[in-house]
């Protein structure tokens, strides 16, 4: 099949803030997402990551939490127990938003690194909505993308090892929407990068 006839991907940067290392015993407290761009047979077209976004704060699903993990986000767990959205409602809203922004494209979740955010996102989607708009494997890890383009072992990769021109100009705040937008900028830079020795 011609690459130009393959259904395009809509790349959606996702960031999750949680109060522990795994879903179930611990909770996803906030979910942020930003459309990073579209990938089709003609290549990647970056989007303005501030234009199409999603953000919700969720009610915790268990009593357990790791104080150090909770401190990272700065979210008030007691407030979320009172005011956070029911996870079923939040994830239904997220799935609907993904469908709306994707249109004729297949949605692909991307994150840096994707392993943590995907674990929480996929578990919550299946647990509370019964399905994932990304399927069971529609995620792309930016750390792996950089390692492959740079020709480096995955364990050698950290943001501090990346060329400065690839790094986002926006700060990493540990607010899920801020970080989803920041990661969308990183993703666009990585998609445009041709590898070591290149500035584009």
């Amino acid at each position: 099949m011609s690459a130009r006839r393959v259904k395009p991907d809509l790349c959606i940067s996702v960031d999750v803030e949680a109060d522990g290392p795994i879903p179930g015993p611990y909770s996803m407290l906030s979910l942020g997402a930003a459309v990073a761009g579209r990938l089709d047979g003609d290549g990647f077209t970056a989007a303005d990551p501030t234009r199409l976004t999603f953000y919700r704060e969720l009610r915790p699903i268990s009593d357990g939490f790791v104080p150090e993990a909770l401190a990272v986000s700065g979210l008030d767990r007691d407030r979320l127990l009172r005011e956070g959205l029911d996870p079923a409602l939040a994830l239904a809203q997220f799935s609907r938003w993904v469908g709306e922004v994707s249109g004729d494209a297949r949605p692909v979740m991307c994150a840096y690194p994707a392993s943590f955010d995907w674990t929480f996102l996929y578990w919550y989607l299946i647990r509370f909505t019964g399905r994932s708009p990304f399927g069971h494997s529609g995620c792309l890890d930016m750390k792996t993308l950089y390692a492959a383009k740079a020709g480096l072992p995955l364990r050698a990769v950290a943001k501090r090892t990346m060329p400065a021109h690839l790094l986002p100009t926006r700060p990493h705040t540990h607010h899920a929407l801020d970080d989803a937008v920041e990661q969308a900028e990183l993703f666009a830079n990585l998609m445009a990068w041709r590898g070591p020795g290149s500035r584009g």
Side-chain angles (χ1 to χ4, degrees):
M1 180 181 287
S2 166
R4 294 182 185 274
R5 294 174 58 199
V6 173
K7 193 170 184 179
D9 289 338
L10 188 79
C11 301
I12 300 175
S13 171
V14 173
D15 187 76
V16 162
E17 298 297 328
D19 62 12
I22 57 171
Y26 304 103
S27 305
M28 177 165 67
L29 302 180
S30 64
L31 168 63
V35 172
R38 185 179 174 99
L39 181 63
D40 59 23
D42 294 316
F44 180 74
T45 303
D48 173 357
T50 64
R51 193 172 74 82
L52 297 172
T53 63
F54 180 93
Y55 180 73
R56 296 292 186 274
E57 294 181 354
L58 287 70
R59 187 170 65 238
I61 61 172
S62 74
D63 294 330
F65 67 95
V66 177
E68 294 82 1
L70 187 59
V72 168
S73 69
L75 290 166
D76 183 333
R77 199 172 188 278
D78 290 334
R79 178 183 66 79
L80 293 178
L81 284 166
R82 298 188 308 270
E83 302 173 6
L85 272 188
D86 178 89
L89 176 59
L91 274 295
Q93 291 176 349
F94 176 70
S95 292
R96 189 160 52 249
W97 177 82
V98 170
E100 289 170 356
V101 298
S102 296
D104 65 341
R106 293 179 304 190
V108 173
M109 175 269 204
C110 54
Y112 184 99
S115 51
F116 177 83
D117 303 273
W118 176 257
T119 297
F120 271 90
L121 181 63
Y122 184 74
W123 189 94
Y124 263 72
L125 284 166
I126 298 302
R127 171 67 179 81
F128 292 108
T129 74
R131 64 175 295 275
S132 164
F134 304 102
H136 69 277
S137 62
C139 66
L140 194 157
D141 177 35
M142 296 183 208
K143 190 171 183 177
T144 303
L145 176 62
Y146 174 77
K149 286 196 169 192
L152 290 172
L154 186 63
R155 293 287 191 176
V157 172
K159 286 184 182 177
R160 66 180 179 276
T161 69
M162 293 182 178
H165 68 275
L166 292 180
L167 298 176
T169 57
R170 296 172 172 88
H172 192 82
T173 66
H174 292 290
H175 181 285
L177 181 54
D178 288 350
D179 292 354
V181 170
E182 177 229 5
Q183 289 179 161
E185 183 183 344
L186 174 62
F187 184 72
N189 292 345
L190 287 172
M191 291 298 289
W193 187 50
R194 292 190 293 272
S198 168
R199 290 193 60 85

